[in-house]
Structures are given as C-alpha cells and as structure tokens.
Amino acid sequence: MKTIDDFNFEGKKALIRVDFNVPLDSNFNVTDTSRIDAAKPTILKVLEDGGSAILMSHLGRPDGKANPDMSLSHICETVSEIIGVQVKFAENCVGTAAEEAVANLQDGEVLLLENLRFHAEEEKGDEKFAEALSKLGDIYVNDAFGTAHRAHASTTIVAKFFPENKCFGYLLAKEIKAIDKVMQTGEKPVTAILGGAKVSSKITIIENILDKVDNLIIGGGMTYTFVKAKGGKVGDSICEDDKMELALDILKQAEAKNVKVYIPVDVLAADDFNNAANTQFVDVDKIPDGWQGLDAGPKTLEIFKQVILASKTILWNGPVGVFEMENFAKGTIAIGNYIDEATQAGAFSLVGGGDSVAAVKQFGFEDKVSYVSTGGGAMLESLEGRTLPGIAAILD
Ligand code: AMP
C-alpha cells in the first residue's frame, strides 16, 4: 500500500483529492471544519517536503452546472487559516484557468480548484476529464475517504494517468488501516454492535461481518424483526415482516459460524413516537399493542456491557435507540460509555457508517473511541466487504 510517506515531494506538484464538502451557513461561512482539519497533515507533508499542493474537491450537488452558491471560493479563507498558508484559487478545475494557475504555482504554495461537480463529467467518471485533471500534477494523492466508494473522475479514473506516481494521503491510509484492524487483523474477541432502524439496510453488513466477529450485538429498530420472527410480541414497534425469514436465517448462520448473537431482552417502550410519550420498561417479546420499543432496557444494557468490556476489538454502527429524542438516547449513551471504558482498557474501537458518527459527535464520544470514520457511505460499503473503487485505483 503506497502512502504519501513513500514519496518526496520536493519540486513536485501534488494533485490531492480532498473531501472539502463542508457545511456552509447562509453567509457562506464554514460551520464545521472537521473535513478541512482532517486533510491538513497530508497538505503539510507536501509543503514541508518542498512541493506544492493542488487541492480538488466537490461541494454540494450542483449536478454538473456552475452554481455560485456552491463555489469552493467560499472556503478559501478558512482553508488558508487552517493550513497556515494563503491558498490561491482557480476559477475552474480544468482548462486554461486551472493550467495557468498551476503553471504559476511555486513550491510551498497551495492552489484550490473550483468545484469538480460543476462538470457533469466528474460524476460520470469521464476519462477525458480525468486526463485533463491529471495534467495538473506530478503525483496523485487520494485523501478523500468520503468519496472513495464512487468511481468518479477525480476519485478513481484519474489514478490511471499516474501508473507509478499515486498514493493514499494520511487520512485515507488511516481509514483503511482502521477498517483492516476490525475486519482482518483485530485482536479477539471481536464484537460488532449494529443498531439503526432497519434490518434491510444492514443485511449485507451483517452477512459479511459474521465471518469476522465473535460477538454480534443487535440493537435499535432492527431488534423487533428478530424478536417477532422468533415468536415474540412487538406491539407497534418498527418491524419488517418481509425480513423475518431473513432474520431467522442470520441467526442460523451465526450459530453455524460460532458467532454469539445478543438481542435486547428488555426495552423502553413508548405509547407514541414522541419524546413526551408515556413510557415503561417491558420484556422485548411482550410489548403491548399500542406501545413501541424505542430504546434498550436496563437488563439488556447490563448484558451488552459485559460483552463490550470483554472485547478487544469493537465496531459500532448505528444507535441502539431513537437517540435524537432525549428520553430514548440513554441506551446509545450507555453503549458509548462502555466502549469508552473498553478502549481505555486497551481495546481498539471503530465507529462509523451512516448515523453513528452523528450520535458519537452529539454525545462527545469522538475522543473516547480509537477511531471515528469520516465516511458514511464509504464506511458502510467497506463493512459490506466491498472493495472501494477509489482505493482499488491506487492499489492497482
Ligand atoms: P441507521 O441510519 O440505519 O443507522 O438508523 C439510524 C436511525 O435509527 C436513527 O435515526 C434512530 O432514531 C433510528 N432508530 C433506532 N432505534 C429505533 C427504534 N427502536 N425505533 C425506530 N427507530 C429507531
């Protein structure tokens, strides 16, 4: 695996795919700089070597047309402040504007190109467009995990024009290592905690993960499909009847593979999908009609706690309750605390995919787990066992 550390950028122009798809307020101020912060080490390595950095990214969904509201010029100052170098801006990511800006770029300087998605060719993975981008740099660096699952021109196709001179930036390399640590090389016992709303959206992950883990904790809305499939009464809880057979099959597969599956035994049920609803703790298989399970109960959390604390490698994807409502967030917070405790005792913990990162940030667990993935969709596809095109293009 070639990383940025395998290259000396002295006198070289690094063409870096970053993920600067950051949120902006109505005055075009960046409201969360995490993605820019995350790309900083890669950019600084190039500059410290004595090279120059050409940054390319998308912002929003302009659908192939130039749209001033989604211009990356809005973030130029913020990037300058974070990197500590005045960043130059090219008003187009290909063509004369880009080529002239690159020709004038000196070692130690940084150039930000205009939004890649102002060109429909970007998302189509157009080869000519990728070739035009490739002309701008000597070495291609991919540091955008958030788009690594897309075979776009700047994330995948461009790599073929750098047969020898392509590598992963620090952020992407960290993501790959973290996933490997869970899926391939993790110290046992390995535990996956899968929550979220639906079995249907997690099924490929569950099937892939059964070959990698010792324990599988299932929580959140998925619970009720399993419980009903086993003959329990789930009241008005979220349940996918058409996935019940699949749920039973998963349990069978897990047994055959010696994976221990933990499903909630009690839940906090509510008489409405509402933070102010009446609540009661009930056995998971005896939920009265008119009531729905919205969070894990105390007996369940005690069982989950013992499993998590005994784990050496932990993967967490998906909340175990409706964490957006304060009264149903306690289970998810408790899981975060157990993972924190296990991590402090030496376990490796990875959180990622979909909504999990939002939950982790909301409750301040970001610094308490070993690694929080920066890519929602890319992380989910990695957990499903797919090779991401952006990663494959560098490994080729
Ligand atoms: P996902 O994106 O699949 O990880 O699902 C996350 C969503 O699942 C969150 O918005 C949670 O509110 C929701 N969720 C978790 N537990 C439940 C539950 N028991 N009933 C309904 N939704 C739930």
Side-chain angles (χ1 to χ4, degrees), residues 198-207 210 216 218 222 225-226 229-230 240-254:
K198 290 181 169 179
V199 178
S200 48
S201 64
K202 299 283 161 92
I203 187 67
T204 324
I205 295 181
I206 298 178
E207 286 180 332
L210 285 179
L216 173 62
I218 288 177
M222 276 199 290
T225 303
F226 283 89
K230 291 205 300 177
E240 293 166 281
D241 287 353
D242 61 329
K243 294 289 176 295
M244 291 200 302
E245 220 165 291
L246 196 61
L248 292 177
D249 186 55
I250 288 170
L251 296 178
K252 240 189 253 162
Q253 283 184 48

Side-chain angles (χ1 to χ4, degrees), residues 341-388:
E341 206 176 322
T343 308
Q344 282 187 46
F348 177 81
S349 52
L350 167 64
V351 182
D355 263 353
S356 332
V357 176
V360 159
K361 280 189 179 173
Q362 185 176 326
F363 302 125
F365 290 122
E366 243 174 322
D367 302 325
K368 296 179 174 165
V369 297
S370 310
Y371 194 72
V372 180
S373 175
T374 56
M379 183 67 188
L380 290 176
E381 289 197 17
S382 300
L383 298 178
E384 287 174 351
R386 294 200 225 173
T387 308
L388 309 187

Side-chain angles (χ1 to χ4, degrees), residues 195-198 201-202 220-221 224 238 273 292-295 317-324 353-356:
K198 290 181 169 179
S201 64
K202 299 283 161 92
Y224 309 98
I238 184 172
F273 191 80
Q292 52 186 307
L294 294 184
D295 199 5
N317 171 272
V320 299
V322 185
F323 74 97
E324 298 93 335
D355 263 353
S356 332

Side-chain angles (χ1 to χ4, degrees), residues 177-391:
K177 279 187 200 137
I179 294 165
D180 262 15
K181 229 169 158 170
V182 172
M183 306 291 271
Q184 317 282 353
T185 61
E187 201 185 327
K188 285 174 163 287
V190 181
T191 297
I193 305 150
L194 296 184
K198 290 181 169 179
V199 178
S200 48
S201 64
K202 299 283 161 92
I203 187 67
T204 324
I205 295 181
I206 298 178
E207 286 180 332
N208 181 46
I209 235 161
L210 285 179
D211 288 320
K212 328 269 181 198
V213 303
D214 304 293
N215 304 306
L216 173 62
I217 290 178
I218 288 177
M222 276 199 290
T223 305
Y224 309 98
T225 303
F226 283 89
V227 170
K228 189 168 173 189
K230 291 205 300 177
K233 255 194 87 210
V234 299
D236 291 2
S237 306
I238 184 172
C239 183
E240 293 166 281
D241 287 353
D242 61 329
K243 294 289 176 295
M244 291 200 302
E245 220 165 291
L246 196 61
L248 292 177
D249 186 55
I250 288 170
L251 296 178
K252 240 189 253 162
Q253 283 184 48
E255 200 179 342
K257 291 177 178 175
N258 266 327
V259 178
K260 288 206 185 86
V261 180
Y262 298 88
I263 297 172
V265 293
D266 63 340
V267 292
L268 181 60
D271 61 0
D272 194 12
F273 191 80
N274 181 332
N275 193 46
N278 295 307
T279 60
Q280 59 173 327
F281 289 113
V282 290
D283 288 346
V284 74
D285 54 353
K286 294 182 193 70
I287 304 175
D289 289 337
W291 293 73
Q292 52 186 307
L294 294 184
D295 199 5
K299 291 182 213 152
T300 299
L301 289 173
E302 188 52 38
I303 297 168
F304 289 1
K305 179 180 180 182
Q306 299 311 324
V307 178
I308 292 168
L309 291 186
S311 302
K312 290 282 182 229
T313 305
I314 301 162
L315 165 72
W316 185 17
N317 171 272
V320 299
V322 185
F323 74 97
E324 298 93 335
M325 297 185 210
E326 198 189 342
N327 289 338
F328 307 105
K330 292 192 187 73
T332 299
I333 295 172
I335 296 291
N337 282 327
Y338 306 151
I339 297 176
D340 175 16
E341 206 176 322
T343 308
Q344 282 187 46
F348 177 81
S349 52
L350 167 64
V351 182
D355 263 353
S356 332
V357 176
V360 159
K361 280 189 179 173
Q362 185 176 326
F363 302 125
F365 290 122
E366 243 174 322
D367 302 325
K368 296 179 174 165
V369 297
S370 310
Y371 194 72
V372 180
S373 175
T374 56
M379 183 67 188
L380 290 176
E381 289 197 17
S382 300
L383 298 178
E384 287 174 351
R386 294 200 225 173
T387 308
L388 309 187
I391 292 176

